[in-house]
Amino acid sequence: CIYWLIACKYIIFARANSNIMKSQLLIFFLFLSIFNVYASDVKFYNINAMYGISMREMASVCKDENGFIWASSKTGILRITESDYRIYQLPYKTANIINVKLAYNNSFLIAYTNNGQFFHYNKLHDRFDLFLDLRVSLKNSYLSVGKVVIDDEQALWIPTSGGLCKYKNGMFSKIGEKQIMTQSIAPYDQTHLLVTHQDSISLLNMNTLEQKSVYEINNTFQISSLFYDNKGEVLWIGTSTDGLFYLDMQKKSLLPFLDFPKQPIGVITESSDSTLLVGIDGQGVWELDKDKKKVLNILKEDIDNPFSLRGDGVYDIYCDGQQRVWVTTYTGGLSFFDWKSPLINQITHQVNNPN
């Protein structure tokens, strides 16, 4: 960077000249630090604004093998490309829903409601068709559904208020003898899932359906999201009211992430080998260093900045592997930003921004 070359010249002269020169050098570095803060700002682009549409309360986003981006809301499923969009309506059996989420794996795309209505994308007819109503299967009209995982064989693993369920090839089954509330699930490896209940975290063998407890939590908190860092062997746990925690799977030690908001954590996802992105309802997107356990950046709405995040109620984040990050929020709908390759580390706190 040309600014750093100039700085090096200033250092050479400062060593040989007066204190005035050193003062000028200090002022220069102050200017340089301020320049770097604003030069490293992330620019968000809002899909509603780009396409002239109005889709809010978006709860989920994913990408398929054709490069289409899909995002879900109660009013429909949005599919976008670089230059076009389409909105699909879901054939609800009943419309008394709170949110709609998506799951995708191995060419299988589904949308599902919080009360257990499941729809798959029909490529032939270019529409979503209802294929499962868990309220009927479980005989429970007050059912609630958590984040679904689709495995490589297109089996659905469904955490519900009535326990963990599996659906594959038209066959539906309950997992485990006790039908206790399953709070959240996350992939552990190709053959295992991490499953959280109110009292424990377990490891489920997806082939034998055997479960073994890996950590007792004894109703310590309500878990809202999970992410397993396979490389670091750490389970990251987002809660509804108690902040963020991380469980060392080898040491069996559970610790809180210090100075973190005590608001619902909607999503935890990996943005690089060393960083995570955490979406918080009411607090935007937080970038974390996985190893050092510290906050690197906070991305929130700024009404004075048209390129800031639209809405701080973040429900989902998807990193598409091409330096682009997609974010869904309650009030702003779907937005994205592109990571740049920084020449310097990003600075989290900005002038007059208490974060």
Side-chain angles (χ1 to χ4, degrees), residues 234-245:
V234 172
L235 176 63
W236 291 84
I237 302 170
T239 71
S240 296
T241 58
D242 296 285
L244 181 67
F245 293 79

Side-chain angles (χ1 to χ4, degrees), residues 88-121:
Y88 296 82
Q89 301 302 318
L90 296 177
Y92 299 123
K93 291 187 71 174
T94 59
N96 57 330
I97 61 174
I98 297 175
N99 59 52
V100 176
K101 295 183 179 180
L102 301 171
Y104 177 81
N105 190 19
N106 195 20
S107 301
F108 189 35
L109 173 66
I110 67 167
Y112 58 96
T113 66
N114 64 288
N115 64 358
Q117 300 176 66
F118 283 74
F119 313 86
H120 74 90
Y121 175 62

Side-chain angles (χ1 to χ4, degrees), residues 103-271:
Y104 177 81
N105 190 19
N106 195 20
S107 301
F108 189 35
L109 173 66
I110 67 167
Y112 58 96
T113 66
N114 64 288
N115 64 358
Q117 300 176 66
F118 283 74
F119 313 86
H120 74 90
Y121 175 62
N122 185 324
K123 293 182 180 179
L124 180 63
H125 295 99
D126 192 24
R127 70 188 185 198
F128 282 85
D129 295 329
L130 179 73
F131 71 94
L132 174 65
D133 188 344
L134 275 186
R135 296 171 299 179
V136 175
S137 302
L138 292 177
K139 299 179 180 179
N140 184 352
S141 299
Y142 304 100
L143 186 76
S144 63
V145 175
K147 186 174 182 179
V148 173
V149 171
I150 303 178
D151 67 23
D152 292 339
E153 297 180 356
Q154 296 186 346
L156 309 185
W157 299 89
I158 310 169
T160 79
S161 54
L164 181 64
C165 304
K166 179 184 178 181
Y167 180 89
K168 182 180 179 182
N169 297 330
M171 301 294 293
F172 173 82
S173 59
K174 299 178 182 178
I175 307 300
E177 297 179 358
K178 296 181 179 180
Q179 297 305 306
I180 58 175
M181 178 179 179
T182 304
Q183 294 186 341
S184 191
I185 61 176
Y188 178 77
D189 58 23
Q190 291 295 103
T191 57
H192 292 83
L193 285 176
L194 285 159
V195 182
T196 62
H197 304 289
Q198 290 178 314
D199 59 349
S200 66
I201 300 172
S202 301
L203 198 61
L204 170 71
N205 186 311
M206 293 187 288
N207 295 322
T208 65
L209 302 183
E210 294 181 357
Q211 293 190 62
K212 67 175 183 178
S213 177
V214 296
Y215 195 83
E216 300 294 325
I217 55 177
N218 300 319
N219 297 305
T220 305
F221 38 64
Q222 183 177 355
I223 295 173
S224 56
S225 56
L226 293 175
F227 174 76
Y228 181 63
D229 174 16
N230 188 273
K231 180 180 178 182
E233 296 184 271
V234 172
L235 176 63
W236 291 84
I237 302 170
T239 71
S240 296
T241 58
D242 296 285
L244 181 67
F245 293 79
Y246 52 96
L247 173 64
D248 188 312
M249 297 291 284
Q250 292 298 318
K251 298 179 180 179
K252 297 294 187 292
S253 63
L254 180 68
L255 294 172
F257 194 98
L258 299 178
D259 302 320
F260 208 78
K262 302 293 193 295
Q263 289 170 248
I265 296 174
V267 59
I268 307 169
T269 191
E270 192 174 54
S271 52

